[in-house]
Amino acid sequence: MSLISIDDIGRAGLERLFARVDAFAPADAPAHGVVRSEEMGQTGRRSAPLAGRIIAMLFFQASTRTRLSFEAAALRLGAHCIGFAEAGSARAGPGWRESLADTARMLNAYADAVVIRHPEAGAAADYLRQSTIPVINAGDGVGEGAEHPTQAILDLYTLRQARGRLDGVSVLVVGDLRQRAPRSLARALSRYREVTLHLMPAAGFAMSAAEMAMLRRRGLTVAETGGYDGVIERVDAVYLAGMEDPQTPVPAAHVLTPDVLARARADVLVLHPLPRGNELPPEIDGHRQAHYFRQAAYGVPVRMAVLDMLLGARAQPRDRRHAPDVSALADQSISPPVASKKGWGPSNRPG
């Protein structure tokens, strides 16, 4: 069982995953948002549910929050980490002759699960085809086919913690909407009822018409807007996606200034997957609506829950002759793996 796309998880699967996150980040958790290793016994869980497991971190693209939070999550669960933080430090990838398929075949013998980030959309799915161990997509590519499922899960969890619900929320998404984070967030929100998605793209960086049509078929109310006026006053959250190219600033009209934020509801959530650019001035950090650092902190308990769900049920260090036993997940409202091994729940991927 693997996590390649947010579409691999149904609503029931998301809710069960959130319950696991709650165990690692209870409501009375300190500001860092995660239960420390020595505190895990207070949640009624084993102190090291993944003891003896090895997680391979294959980061073919730069990362700070995703890589470090996955490594922290694995370590807090008692697992060990191997891997690399940049493609140039390994012989896997386009700089050498080793294909993703060959890398997957090799890692099948070295690890119990793989976390992969890659600059090409669809790379995680390609890797999975040769993998006999669980694969988690830590973000691949930009544009059509790009995904970042664990980012979408922690975005939903942040909304859920602040609002107490996900049905009926309204979210304004601003910036380069071709990026994997806003694309996965929009698909994740489509699991819930009466959700309104306001899209405010930078010129030339809009979500495709086909993607918006698919979201509407799933039940989302999708509306495009050219500015904050008339929208920021009534949404539950503003999700600043920034630009894929760190050298490209967002238009001045898309910058969330203190004056713009003053027009929003007092309880609006300002979210950002980080790192930020000019779209989110540091002056916003002191406002109570700023939730992006807590959002980033949730990356650890969310990824703990994902790893625990994939490997923790009835976990024992695996016999190297066999793939991990994930049959225990079949009774958790998550469908067993399908032939392609992409199955956390009923999939409604667009054809």
Side-chain angles (χ1 to χ4, degrees), residues 312-325:
R314 305 176 189 172
Q316 297 293 330
R318 73 184 177 106
D319 184 327
R320 294 295 172 192
R321 296 170 297 176
H322 303 289
D325 176 13

Side-chain angles (χ1 to χ4, degrees), residues 60-61 81 102 163 180 195-196 216 239 312 314 327:
F60 293 89
Q61 189 178 35
C81 297
D102 285 356
R163 285 284 172 267
R180 54 199 175 211
V195 172
T196 301
R216 291 186 177 108
Y239 191 95
R314 305 176 189 172
S327 59

Side-chain angles (χ1 to χ4, degrees), residues 15-335:
E15 294 301 321
R16 290 189 178 273
L17 185 59
F18 293 153
R20 291 196 181 204
V21 181
D22 289 341
F24 297 124
D28 59 351
H32 51 65
V34 63
V35 180
R36 298 291 187 185
S37 302
E38 63 272 17
E39 297 168 331
M40 284 179 59
Q42 298 175 19
T43 69
R45 306 181 68 83
R46 290 166 296 166
S47 60
L50 298 190
R53 296 283 178 158
I54 297 174
I55 313 297
M57 306 287 176
L58 309 185
F59 278 72
F60 293 89
Q61 189 178 35
S63 172
T64 302
R65 280 151 299 280
T66 302
R67 180 176 66 86
L68 294 180
S69 62
F70 260 119
E71 290 185 5
L75 293 170
R76 290 193 187 285
L77 293 169
H80 301 284
C81 297
I82 60 173
F84 50 83
E86 55 179 338
S89 65
R91 292 200 173 191
W96 298 87
R97 289 179 300 212
E98 186 165 89
S99 66
L100 273 181
D102 285 356
T103 302
R105 293 185 182 101
M106 175 188 70
L107 264 295
N108 289 339
Y110 291 179
D112 297 288
V114 164
V115 176
I116 181 170
R117 167 168 284 193
H118 201 279
E120 298 178 9
D126 290 342
Y127 185 100
L128 179 62
R129 292 187 181 96
Q130 298 299 327
S131 182
T132 60
I133 58 178
V135 178
I136 300 171
N137 182 0
D140 62 346
V142 63
E144 295 302 313
E147 288 271 6
H148 200 346
T150 60
Q151 179 68 47
I153 295 167
L154 73 89
D155 293 342
L156 289 189
Y157 188 78
T158 306
L159 271 168
R160 174 181 175 269
Q161 290 299 94
R163 285 284 172 267
R165 59 179 170 78
L166 290 168
D167 288 323
V169 299
S170 58
V171 181
L172 170 62
V173 186
V174 184
D176 181 353
L177 305 189
R178 306 169 310 149
Q179 296 180 89
R180 54 199 175 211
R183 292 184 78 256
S184 289
L185 173 63
R187 289 173 175 237
L189 286 169
S190 73
R191 296 297 193 193
Y192 294 87
R193 295 185 294 273
E194 299 180 359
V195 172
T196 301
L197 192 65
H198 299 275
L199 303 178
M200 185 174 152
F205 297 94
M207 191 174 288
S208 71
E211 187 81 1
M212 287 192 289
M214 178 273 296
L215 294 172
R216 291 186 177 108
R217 287 196 301 271
R218 293 185 179 190
L220 279 185
T221 298
V222 181
E224 290 188 280
T225 180
Y228 287 110
D229 289 345
V231 179
I232 196 168
E233 296 85 353
R234 51 195 173 90
V235 295
D236 293 296
V238 179
Y239 191 95
L240 299 167
M243 303 298 289
E244 174 70 14
D245 181 357
Q247 305 305 316
T248 302
V250 302
H254 288 198
V255 176
L256 185 67
T257 65
D259 287 343
V260 172
L261 184 58
R263 305 204 306 267
R265 287 168 28 186
D267 62 348
V268 73
L269 276 68
V270 178
L271 303 176
H272 197 304
L274 302 175
R276 61 175 154 187
N278 70 310
E279 69 279 355
L280 181 56
E283 292 79 12
I284 301 298
D285 296 354
H287 290 250
R288 64 177 181 176
Q289 296 104 321
H291 279 66
Y292 32 90
F293 291 119
R294 179 167 292 276
Q295 175 188 5
Y298 283 142
V300 176
V302 163
R303 289 169 175 128
M304 288 174 72
V306 170
L307 290 170
D308 188 47
M309 181 166 279
L310 284 176
L311 293 172
R314 305 176 189 172
Q316 297 293 330
R318 73 184 177 106
D319 184 327
R320 294 295 172 192
R321 296 170 297 176
H322 303 289
D325 176 13
V326 295
S327 59
L329 297 184
D331 62 352
Q332 301 200 14
S333 298
I334 299 175
S335 299

